[in-house]
C-alpha cells in the first residue's frame, strides 16, 4: 500500500454491528474481540536468548450496549438456572461505506463471565456491558488493499 492514504479510508465505528446468537443488537455502542497469546520459553544450546513457543490462546469479547432490553441477561439467566453452561455465537462486523471494504468475524462457544441485571444512576442514560471468552473464530470478511 502507498505510504500515504486518504483520511476518509479510516474505518468509523459508527458502522459497526453485532449479532448475539443471530439476534441483531441495534443498541450496541462498542465491541471488541481479541486473542491473548501465551508463550512458553524454549531454552536452546549456545543461545542466551529464550526462544518462544505458543502454548495457549484465550479469546475475549467485550460488548457495551445502551440498555434497551433484557435479552442477553434473560438468555444467560435461563441457562445458569437450568444448570447449563451458557454458550453463544457472536458475529461482529465493521462496514464503513468510505473504507476499502468490510470486516466480519464469527466467534463460537462464547461464554459470559457474569450477568448484569441492574446498573443505573439517577438522571443518566443506562448502559450494560458483557465480557465473554470464546473458543474458536472465523474471519469471514477482511479488508484487502492492493
Amino acid at each position: 500500500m502507498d505510504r500515504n492514504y486518504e483520511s476518509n479510508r479510516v474505518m468509523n465505528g459508527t458502522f459497526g454491528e453485532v449479532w448475539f446468537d443471530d439476534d441483531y443488537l441495534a443498541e450496541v455502542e462498542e465491541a471488541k474481540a481479541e486473542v491473548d497469546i501465551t508463550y512458553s520459553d524454549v531454552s536452546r544450546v549456545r543461545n542466551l536468548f529464550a526462544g518462544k513457543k505458543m502454548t495457549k490462546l484465550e479469546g475475549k469479547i467485550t460488548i457495551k450496549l445502551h440498555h434497551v432490553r433484557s435479552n442477553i441477561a434473560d438468555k444467560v439467566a435461563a441457562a445458569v438456572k437450568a444448570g447449563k453452561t451458557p454458550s453463544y455465537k457472536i458475529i461482529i462486523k465493521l462496514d464503513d461505506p468510505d473504507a476499502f471494504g468490510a470486516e466480519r468475524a464469527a466467534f463460537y462457544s462464547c461464554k459470559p463471565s457474569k450477568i448484569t441485571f441492574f446498573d443505573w444512576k439517577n438522571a443518566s442514560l443506562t448502559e450494560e456491558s458483557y465480557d465473554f471468552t470464546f473458543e474458536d473464530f472465523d474471519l469471514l470478511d477482511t479488508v484487502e488493499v492492493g
Side-chain angles (χ1 to χ4, degrees), residues 33-48:
E34 59 190 3
V35 174
D36 289 338
I37 305 170
T38 300
Y39 296 93
S40 295
D41 287 348
V42 176
S43 297
R44 298 172 289 172
V45 297
R46 301 196 50 80
N47 192 333
L48 295 176

Side-chain angles (χ1 to χ4, degrees), residues 7-133:
S7 57
N8 59 302
R9 298 298 188 174
V10 175
M11 296 181 104
N12 180 347
T14 298
F15 298 97
E17 298 177 281
V18 174
W19 289 262
F20 177 79
D21 252 10
D22 299 323
D23 181 17
Y24 181 73
L25 301 180
E27 63 272 31
V28 70
E29 286 187 72
E30 296 177 23
K32 181 179 183 177
E34 59 190 3
V35 174
D36 289 338
I37 305 170
T38 300
Y39 296 93
S40 295
D41 287 348
V42 176
S43 297
R44 298 172 289 172
V45 297
R46 301 196 50 80
N47 192 333
L48 295 176
F49 284 98
K52 299 293 181 184
K53 172 71 176 175
M54 180 178 62
T55 55
K56 183 174 128 181
L57 300 174
E58 184 177 10
K60 298 178 183 179
I61 293 178
T62 299
I63 299 172
K64 184 176 174 184
L65 309 162
H66 294 291
H67 186 85
V68 175
R69 53 191 172 140
S70 304
N71 58 324
I72 295 175
D74 282 345
K75 277 188 163 185
V76 175
V80 298
K81 285 189 68 143
K84 297 181 179 180
T85 301
S87 186
Y88 310 99
K89 177 178 76 175
I90 296 174
I91 296 176
I92 300 176
K93 178 180 178 183
L94 184 56
D95 189 9
D96 183 334
D98 230 0
F100 284 115
E103 295 177 323
R104 186 171 58 107
F107 302 92
Y108 308 103
S109 298
C110 299
K111 295 174 176 55
S113 59
K114 65 180 175 186
I115 309 169
T116 302
F117 293 110
F118 297 101
D119 186 5
W120 57 270
K121 180 178 169 183
N122 184 34
S124 296
L125 298 176
T126 57
E127 299 173 338
E128 55 186 319
S129 183
Y130 292 94
D131 294 319
F132 298 87
T133 60

